[in-house]
Amino acid sequence: MAFQTVAPIATKPRHSLPFSRIDDHLRTLNKPAVKTIHSPDGDIIDCVPIHQQIALDHPKLRNHKLQMHPQTQPSYGTAESVNRFTKMGRSNEIRQLWHENGRCPSATVAVRRITAEDIRRVGSVERFGRKFHQPPKPKPRSPKPKPRSRIVSRPGHEYATAYLDNNEYYGTRATINVWNPHVQGPLEFSVAQIWLAAGSFDNGDLNTIEVGWMVHPKYYGDNNTRLFTFWTDDAYQFTGCYNHDCLGFVQVSSEVALGASISPVSSDGGVQYEIQLMIWKDSVTRNWWLKFGNDAPMGYWPAEIFSHLSTAATSIQWGGEILNFEISGQHTQTQMGSGNFAQAGSSHASYFKNIFYVNAANQLVFPTNLQTSVAFPNCYSIQVPNANSFYFGGPGRNSNCP
């Protein structure tokens, strides 16, 4: 995959954004750095002193004590879970592209710098960091969509996922292979991710923590595959954002930059490159921690920024998501995962494997009752070969998905 910075996507805003508003917002987001690293793909990574990061400006964190390490971590709870863990093996190495030109020193955090063009592409300071939705109303399709879990309720968003719900969950661990899917429309995206959720979308109080990889040309200005996080406390209305694009996620690692490109990616029939992600709730502080790969924990979402998730998640979801704007009145050709259907299997389809969830005893256990959800199986599909792994994805528009 060639990493390139592409020309800004042409838009025709009704009014140009005032430079003063953009500059003020950039001063809020981009904290002074002790070192700056220029990535080969055009990103700028700032090494920000850990106690000066943007998250700590959150009004709910005024009396928050920075946690450098989690006080508790989950263990593998059963003999079968331990046995599955020992058989997991090591993944082919994934790195972030900016590492080619340097690393951040200790006592700093690596933060992708936001530019004025990033904000202009989105169209407003208020929308920056938020998710895009509300495309033209999708046309009725046959067969009728299966009932879907509580997370997937927004128009235009299509999913192929496995999930657990109607219980209390305190985290999850999974391995995902990484691809660079084609994204057709400038407002569309393709994602492979984990969701932890509580509350209700329909009631406007849905809390989510979301982590994975994505291709999002409108947001990042290119077609690179990038590591991302997202959170919301009110069903994507006014709170939450991607990465460090608002006040929320507290980072403690200097090794990983949220929103930065990850490389290399998997090839169809070739080498599969993977990322390992673990999210868990510290049973002492109630903060939700994130671990990327085998490195030290990356950071956490403080319990104070959530309502329902301050206690526990009531559902976990793993899988793919795309945004379909039905360009020219047809289903999008935006690919999910590798662009191949789940039935293509090993070395061809996108997958989640080594899936565990964290129970109330702070133990990692493998699920025995994964359910699946796919709205339009002629466009994207999912297949579960065993209890803690599955394939998913698809090409989008094709002869059976017009």
Side-chain angles (χ1 to χ4, degrees), residues 17-36:
L17 290 176
F19 285 104
S20 58
R21 291 199 64 205
I22 293 177
D23 288 344
D24 288 345
H25 200 53
L26 290 175
R27 278 192 289 271
T28 299
L29 294 175
N30 295 323
K31 296 292 188 176
V34 299
K35 180 180 179 180
T36 294

Side-chain angles (χ1 to χ4, degrees), residues 247-260:
L247 316 181
F249 182 78
V250 178
Q251 189 160 328
V252 298
S253 170
S254 62
E255 293 296 316
V256 182
L258 294 176

Side-chain angles (χ1 to χ4, degrees), residues 39-340:
S39 177
D41 64 350
D43 280 354
I44 297 175
I45 306 300
D46 288 325
C47 305
V48 177
I50 192 167
H51 289 278
Q52 296 177 23
Q53 62 182 291
I54 182 177
L56 300 179
D57 292 341
H58 198 293
K60 291 185 178 180
L61 301 182
R62 284 174 182 156
N63 299 316
H64 181 81
K65 183 179 179 182
L66 182 68
Q67 307 292 304
M68 294 301 297
H69 305 282
Q71 296 192 37
T72 62
Q73 292 194 50
S75 59
Y76 289 89
T78 66
E80 189 167 2
S81 293
V82 172
N83 185 48
R84 288 185 183 232
F85 172 68
T86 57
K87 291 180 178 179
M88 281 166 53
R90 294 187 62 85
S91 300
N92 288 307
E93 183 181 4
I94 286 276
R95 68 183 189 281
Q96 291 200 296
L97 204 60
W98 64 275
H99 289 167
E100 293 183 10
N101 291 339
R103 298 291 180 113
C104 285
S106 61
T108 68
V109 293
V111 180
R112 178 182 175 270
R113 184 184 299 181
I114 306 304
T115 67
E117 188 54 43
D118 290 333
I119 297 175
R120 290 193 191 99
R121 277 196 309 274
V122 172
S124 75
V125 168
E126 290 76 18
R127 283 185 55 80
F128 184 72
R130 306 295 171 82
K131 286 200 172 184
F132 300 134
H133 43 254
Q134 300 299 341
K137 186 176 179 181
K139 297 176 180 179
R141 295 180 184 277
S142 184
K144 206 171 181 180
K146 293 181 182 180
R148 294 183 282 175
S149 73
R150 69 190 68 198
I151 302 173
V152 293
S153 302
R154 292 164 294 156
H157 293 249
E158 298 183 14
Y159 303 80
T161 60
Y163 65 94
L164 298 172
D165 63 4
N166 298 319
N167 207 332
E168 289 192 344
Y169 306 99
Y170 296 84
T172 180
R173 176 172 183 160
T175 300
I176 321 170
N177 61 344
V178 178
W179 297 86
N180 183 238
H182 166 71
V183 174
Q184 180 183 4
L187 297 177
E188 297 179 340
F189 59 69
S190 184
V191 175
Q193 70 173 75
I194 297 167
W195 295 258
L196 285 158
S200 165
F201 184 87
D202 293 336
N203 293 337
D205 63 353
L206 179 70
N207 291 198
T208 72
I209 289 172
E210 306 174 29
V211 184
W213 60 256
M214 74 175 351
V215 177
H216 197 334
K218 176 74 171 179
Y219 200 73
Y220 294 106
D222 58 31
N223 295 297
N224 294 354
T225 302
R226 294 172 178 271
L227 175 71
F228 83 97
T229 62
F230 191 91
W231 70 276
T232 182
D233 185 47
D234 62 359
Y236 308 100
Q237 297 178 83
F238 305 107
T239 66
C241 63
Y242 289 109
N243 310 324
H244 291 294
D245 298 347
C246 70
L247 316 181
F249 182 78
V250 178
Q251 189 160 328
V252 298
S253 170
S254 62
E255 293 296 316
V256 182
L258 294 176
S261 301
I262 48 181
S263 175
V265 298
S266 303
S267 59
D268 194 353
V271 177
Q272 302 299 290
Y273 291 93
E274 304 171 336
I275 56 175
Q276 296 179 40
L277 298 170
M278 184 165 75
I279 309 164
W280 76 97
K281 190 175 187 63
D282 187 321
S283 59
V284 175
T285 64
R286 299 187 304 128
N287 300 327
W288 289 92
W289 280 84
L290 170 63
K291 190 173 185 180
F292 176 73
N294 294 311
D295 296 332
M298 186 177 171
Y300 60 92
W301 293 267
E304 295 95 321
I305 67 175
F306 294 111
S307 52
H308 298 291
L309 277 177
S310 63
T311 304
T314 53
S315 61
I316 312 175
Q317 194 158 332
W318 306 263
E321 174 188 2
I322 64 95
L323 181 56
N324 174 23
F325 266 80
E326 294 199 343
I327 298 167
S328 302
Q330 297 177 299
H331 191 283
T332 181
Q333 290 180 314
T334 289
Q335 298 174 336
M336 180 186 292
S338 68
N340 293 320

